[in-house]
Amino acid sequence: MVALYDTLARAVVPVDPAGDTLTMYSCGPTVYRYAHIGNLRTFLMADLIRRAFEYQGVTVHQVQNITDVGHMTDELTDSGRDRMELAVQDEGKSAQEIADYYTQAFLDDTAAFNIQRAVDYPKASDYIPQMIELNAKLLERGHAYEVGGTVYFDTASFPAYGRLSGNTLEQLQTGHRKEIGDTNKRHHADFVLWMNAGPHRLITFDSPWGKGYPGWHIECSAMSMAAFGESFDLHTGGEDNVFPHHEDEIAQSEGAVGHQVVAHWVHGAHLLSEGRKMAKSAQNFYELRDLKERGHTEPLAARLLYLQSRYRAQMNFTLDGLTAAERTLDRWRRLIANWAGDPQGGSSVDAYEKRFVEAMNDDLDTPAIMALVSEVTGDDKVGRADRAALLQRWDRFLGLDLGRDVGKTVEVPAMVLELIEQREKARTKKDYSTADRVRHKILSLGFEVEDTPDGPKPRPRAR
Ligand code: AMP
Ligand code: ZN
């Protein structure tokens, strides 16, 4: 079965669902802005895990949260306002409108990336009562304390703190986070479960501790347990989520129910740009819409690029790498389109299939799978239709839309290429009557010319 690198076990371990289906909770987007393509890499990892199980007949019940409220980062901005509130100010819309808009943008982007829809996308703002209930439970069980309307998790009450990230209480030095300025904390590692709103906060909720809003981590404890109960199989996120987000989530969930809740934790490594983590704050990010504006109109080429690295290796994104991936994707699609019409060759592809499944189950070894795809495309001992069918089958995992009808590749006669050049020359000289005459000649030879940002492209004339 599928084995994955479990951050908690610090090893690649087999991941077996406890029940009939694999229950998986994935940390989702904060919806005060567009996702960047680094975020998409983390969401893709969850999709690949899911597809690996589904490829082998296991149903996956995936839930992904939408963070539309709360302490959206563990550091407040300089002005002491959270990011959603700043977006409200900048965009002149309500928080609800902003959240709805960017939630839809997230769904569009993930769909363009062929990331399958989760069963449910719970919104944090719909789970305030569950978060309040969790806080109450933690207070009752002695894992939390309240000071002036703010509720803190008492890390000293939870000896397992640090098990996931290695940041045990002894190791955490004073000053590891900005909140150290908060003198109400008993221990510097204690974190906010519920925050007193103060006079300037726009979005607040009533609670037994007065008006406030939830801490960042409590939403994932509340929503994951609302979805799956007190235990589930797998929790995913990006590597920056390990600490403090997931460390704190473990403390909250286990503190509330008194036993282990998540069986396996899997984290994706960051996408880098110019050698640094791609991030909004670092100004080194791309969104899918930026790539499109630069003429990179096929998002699945980025998906292919990501597959060339394993999910837990950091990878540096470059536009050159993306261009190369576009060519590879186009080539594979064309081969399949050309081969699919051939009669089945009856060749055995069992050995290839075995290697594919082994690589997939070996902690999603997608670089090995990419090499395998190249090997298959060049293996003339296997019938062409059999190769096409095999690659399309693997596409259930890869999600590259390899079967897309890109049309058969047609040899363009030298004569047509020459005429295209003549037409370009005439157009540069603004001699449009000659250009048009040449275009008709090209048409009479059965081709038409499409003017693309990369220059003129010949294609067989539409009938
Ligand atoms: P956010 O919307 O900022 O909460 O981020 C959504 C997800 O993207 C989180 O799980 C992060 O861990 C992940 N993430 C953020 N930056 C990157 C990056 N550069 N590469 C990969 N994943 C990232
Ligand atoms: Zn989360």
Side-chain angles (χ1 to χ4, degrees), residues 192-206:
V192 170
L193 296 169
W194 185 264
M195 188 79 139
N196 180 319
H200 304 298
R201 182 81 184 190
L202 292 177
I203 307 157
T204 62
F205 305 89
D206 288 326

PDB file of all heavy atoms in Angstrom, residues 192-206:
ATOM      1  N   VAL A 192      -2.448  31.615  21.903  1.00  0.00           N
ATOM      2  CA  VAL A 192      -3.811  32.114  22.047  1.00  0.00           C
ATOM      3  C   VAL A 192      -4.826  31.130  21.460  1.00  0.00           C
ATOM      4  O   VAL A 192      -4.693  30.683  20.325  1.00  0.00           O
ATOM      5  CB  VAL A 192      -3.954  33.479  21.336  1.00  0.00           C
ATOM      6  CG1 VAL A 192      -5.414  33.909  21.257  1.00  0.00           C
ATOM      7  CG2 VAL A 192      -3.126  34.541  22.052  1.00  0.00           C
ATOM      8  N   LEU A 193      -5.835  30.812  22.250  1.00  0.00           N
ATOM      9  CA  LEU A 193      -6.956  29.996  21.771  1.00  0.00           C
ATOM     10  C   LEU A 193      -8.125  30.896  21.380  1.00  0.00           C
ATOM     11  O   LEU A 193      -8.863  30.639  20.442  1.00  0.00           O
ATOM     12  CB  LEU A 193      -7.412  29.031  22.864  1.00  0.00           C
ATOM     13  CG  LEU A 193      -6.416  27.963  23.307  1.00  0.00           C
ATOM     14  CD1 LEU A 193      -6.909  27.264  24.564  1.00  0.00           C
ATOM     15  CD2 LEU A 193      -6.185  26.954  22.193  1.00  0.00           C
ATOM     16  N   TRP A 194      -8.279  31.942  22.164  1.00  0.00           N
ATOM     17  CA  TRP A 194      -9.356  32.906  21.924  1.00  0.00           C
ATOM     18  C   TRP A 194      -8.810  34.279  22.282  1.00  0.00           C
ATOM     19  O   TRP A 194      -8.212  34.443  23.342  1.00  0.00           O
ATOM     20  CB  TRP A 194     -10.582  32.590  22.783  1.00  0.00           C
ATOM     21  CG  TRP A 194     -11.740  33.485  22.489  1.00  0.00           C
ATOM     22  CD1 TRP A 194     -12.093  34.613  23.165  1.00  0.00           C
ATOM     23  CD2 TRP A 194     -12.670  33.336  21.418  1.00  0.00           C
ATOM     24  NE1 TRP A 194     -13.191  35.180  22.573  1.00  0.00           N
ATOM     25  CE2 TRP A 194     -13.576  34.412  21.499  1.00  0.00           C
ATOM     26  CE3 TRP A 194     -12.839  32.384  20.402  1.00  0.00           C
ATOM     27  CZ2 TRP A 194     -14.622  34.578  20.598  1.00  0.00           C
ATOM     28  CZ3 TRP A 194     -13.877  32.539  19.504  1.00  0.00           C
ATOM     29  CH2 TRP A 194     -14.769  33.636  19.616  1.00  0.00           C
ATOM     30  N   MET A 195      -8.991  35.246  21.411  1.00  0.00           N
ATOM     31  CA  MET A 195      -8.379  36.552  21.606  1.00  0.00           C
ATOM     32  C   MET A 195      -9.433  37.590  21.958  1.00  0.00           C
ATOM     33  O   MET A 195     -10.438  37.706  21.240  1.00  0.00           O
ATOM     34  CB  MET A 195      -7.692  36.932  20.296  1.00  0.00           C
ATOM     35  CG  MET A 195      -6.844  38.154  20.361  1.00  0.00           C
ATOM     36  SD  MET A 195      -5.273  37.738  21.120  1.00  0.00           S
ATOM     37  CE  MET A 195      -4.187  38.685  20.090  1.00  0.00           C
ATOM     38  N   ASN A 196      -9.193  38.327  23.001  1.00  0.00           N
ATOM     39  CA  ASN A 196     -10.046  39.459  23.338  1.00  0.00           C
ATOM     40  C   ASN A 196      -9.999  40.452  22.171  1.00  0.00           C
ATOM     41  O   ASN A 196      -8.930  40.767  21.667  1.00  0.00           O
ATOM     42  CB  ASN A 196      -9.491  40.105  24.618  1.00  0.00           C
ATOM     43  CG  ASN A 196     -10.313  41.297  25.057  1.00  0.00           C
ATOM     44  OD1 ASN A 196     -10.746  42.098  24.238  1.00  0.00           O
ATOM     45  ND2 ASN A 196     -10.545  41.400  26.350  1.00  0.00           N
ATOM     46  N   ALA A 197     -11.172  40.925  21.759  1.00  0.00           N
ATOM     47  CA  ALA A 197     -11.215  41.716  20.529  1.00  0.00           C
ATOM     48  C   ALA A 197     -10.574  43.095  20.647  1.00  0.00           C
ATOM     49  O   ALA A 197      -9.992  43.588  19.692  1.00  0.00           O
ATOM     50  CB  ALA A 197     -12.657  41.866  20.074  1.00  0.00           C
ATOM     51  N   GLY A 198     -10.680  43.723  21.782  1.00  0.00           N
ATOM     52  CA  GLY A 198     -10.168  45.095  21.863  1.00  0.00           C
ATOM     53  C   GLY A 198     -11.081  46.015  21.076  1.00  0.00           C
ATOM     54  O   GLY A 198     -11.942  45.546  20.329  1.00  0.00           O
ATOM     55  N   PRO A 199     -10.886  47.329  21.203  1.00  0.00           N
ATOM     56  CA  PRO A 199     -11.839  48.282  20.619  1.00  0.00           C
ATOM     57  C   PRO A 199     -11.761  48.412  19.094  1.00  0.00           C
ATOM     58  O   PRO A 199     -12.714  48.831  18.461  1.00  0.00           O
ATOM     59  CB  PRO A 199     -11.459  49.606  21.288  1.00  0.00           C
ATOM     60  CG  PRO A 199     -10.048  49.423  21.752  1.00  0.00           C
ATOM     61  CD  PRO A 199      -9.856  47.973  22.024  1.00  0.00           C
ATOM     62  N   HIS A 200     -10.634  48.045  18.467  1.00  0.00           N
ATOM     63  CA  HIS A 200     -10.466  48.353  17.042  1.00  0.00           C
ATOM     64  C   HIS A 200     -10.802  47.206  16.110  1.00  0.00           C
ATOM     65  O   HIS A 200     -10.739  47.344  14.896  1.00  0.00           O
ATOM     66  CB  HIS A 200      -9.028  48.820  16.783  1.00  0.00           C
ATOM     67  CG  HIS A 200      -8.653  49.986  17.634  1.00  0.00           C
ATOM     68  ND1 HIS A 200      -9.314  51.191  17.548  1.00  0.00           N
ATOM     69  CD2 HIS A 200      -7.723  50.112  18.614  1.00  0.00           C
ATOM     70  CE1 HIS A 200      -8.792  52.022  18.444  1.00  0.00           C
ATOM     71  NE2 HIS A 200      -7.835  51.388  19.100  1.00  0.00           N
ATOM     72  N   ARG A 201     -11.119  46.085  16.665  1.00  0.00           N
ATOM     73  CA  ARG A 201     -11.347  44.914  15.833  1.00  0.00           C
ATOM     74  C   ARG A 201     -12.718  44.991  15.166  1.00  0.00           C
ATOM     75  O   ARG A 201     -13.729  45.256  15.824  1.00  0.00           O
ATOM     76  CB  ARG A 201     -11.248  43.677  16.733  1.00  0.00           C
ATOM     77  CG  ARG A 201     -11.401  42.382  16.040  1.00  0.00           C
ATOM     78  CD  ARG A 201     -10.116  41.960  15.377  1.00  0.00           C
ATOM     79  NE  ARG A 201     -10.362  40.731  14.629  1.00  0.00           N
ATOM     80  CZ  ARG A 201      -9.425  39.999  14.091  1.00  0.00           C
ATOM     81  NH1 ARG A 201      -8.160  40.342  14.176  1.00  0.00           N
ATOM     82  NH2 ARG A 201      -9.735  38.909  13.422  1.00  0.00           N
ATOM     83  N   LEU A 202     -12.756  44.736  13.840  1.00  0.00           N
ATOM     84  CA  LEU A 202     -14.023  44.800  13.100  1.00  0.00           C
ATOM     85  C   LEU A 202     -14.853  43.537  13.253  1.00  0.00           C
ATOM     86  O   LEU A 202     -16.054  43.579  13.472  1.00  0.00           O
ATOM     87  CB  LEU A 202     -13.741  44.969  11.599  1.00  0.00           C
ATOM     88  CG  LEU A 202     -13.136  46.274  11.098  1.00  0.00           C
ATOM     89  CD1 LEU A 202     -12.884  46.177   9.609  1.00  0.00           C
ATOM     90  CD2 LEU A 202     -14.112  47.421  11.385  1.00  0.00           C
ATOM     91  N   ILE A 203     -14.176  42.386  13.088  1.00  0.00           N
ATOM     92  CA  ILE A 203     -14.920  41.130  13.040  1.00  0.00           C
ATOM     93  C   ILE A 203     -14.790  40.429  14.398  1.00  0.00           C
ATOM     94  O   ILE A 203     -13.709  39.958  14.751  1.00  0.00           O
ATOM     95  CB  ILE A 203     -14.351  40.217  11.941  1.00  0.00           C
ATOM     96  CG1 ILE A 203     -14.293  40.991  10.613  1.00  0.00           C
ATOM     97  CG2 ILE A 203     -15.176  38.946  11.794  1.00  0.00           C
ATOM     98  CD1 ILE A 203     -13.288  40.448   9.633  1.00  0.00           C
ATOM     99  N   THR A 204     -15.889  40.418  15.150  1.00  0.00           N
ATOM    100  CA  THR A 204     -15.829  39.822  16.484  1.00  0.00           C
ATOM    101  C   THR A 204     -17.005  38.880  16.714  1.00  0.00           C
ATOM    102  O   THR A 204     -18.015  38.941  16.009  1.00  0.00           O
ATOM    103  CB  THR A 204     -15.878  40.907  17.583  1.00  0.00           C
ATOM    104  OG1 THR A 204     -17.122  41.601  17.472  1.00  0.00           O
ATOM    105  CG2 THR A 204     -14.741  41.893  17.448  1.00  0.00           C
ATOM    106  N   PHE A 205     -16.858  38.038  17.704  1.00  0.00           N
ATOM    107  CA  PHE A 205     -17.909  37.077  18.045  1.00  0.00           C
ATOM    108  C   PHE A 205     -18.095  37.094  19.564  1.00  0.00           C
ATOM    109  O   PHE A 205     -17.128  37.309  20.297  1.00  0.00           O
ATOM    110  CB  PHE A 205     -17.498  35.668  17.605  1.00  0.00           C
ATOM    111  CG  PHE A 205     -17.151  35.588  16.148  1.00  0.00           C
ATOM    112  CD1 PHE A 205     -15.844  35.824  15.720  1.00  0.00           C
ATOM    113  CD2 PHE A 205     -18.133  35.307  15.202  1.00  0.00           C
ATOM    114  CE1 PHE A 205     -15.518  35.765  14.373  1.00  0.00           C
ATOM    115  CE2 PHE A 205     -17.809  35.260  13.851  1.00  0.00           C
ATOM    116  CZ  PHE A 205     -16.501  35.488  13.436  1.00  0.00           C
ATOM    117  N   ASP A 206     -19.339  36.840  19.977  1.00  0.00           N
ATOM    118  CA  ASP A 206     -19.597  36.749  21.416  1.00  0.00           C
ATOM    119  C   ASP A 206     -19.079  35.419  21.933  1.00  0.00           C
ATOM    120  O   ASP A 206     -19.147  34.406  21.230  1.00  0.00           O
ATOM    121  CB  ASP A 206     -21.108  36.843  21.683  1.00  0.00           C
ATOM    122  CG  ASP A 206     -21.597  38.265  21.446  1.00  0.00           C
ATOM    123  OD1 ASP A 206     -20.825  39.209  21.728  1.00  0.00           O
ATOM    124  OD2 ASP A 206     -22.727  38.423  20.940  1.00  0.00           O
TER     125      ASP A 206
END
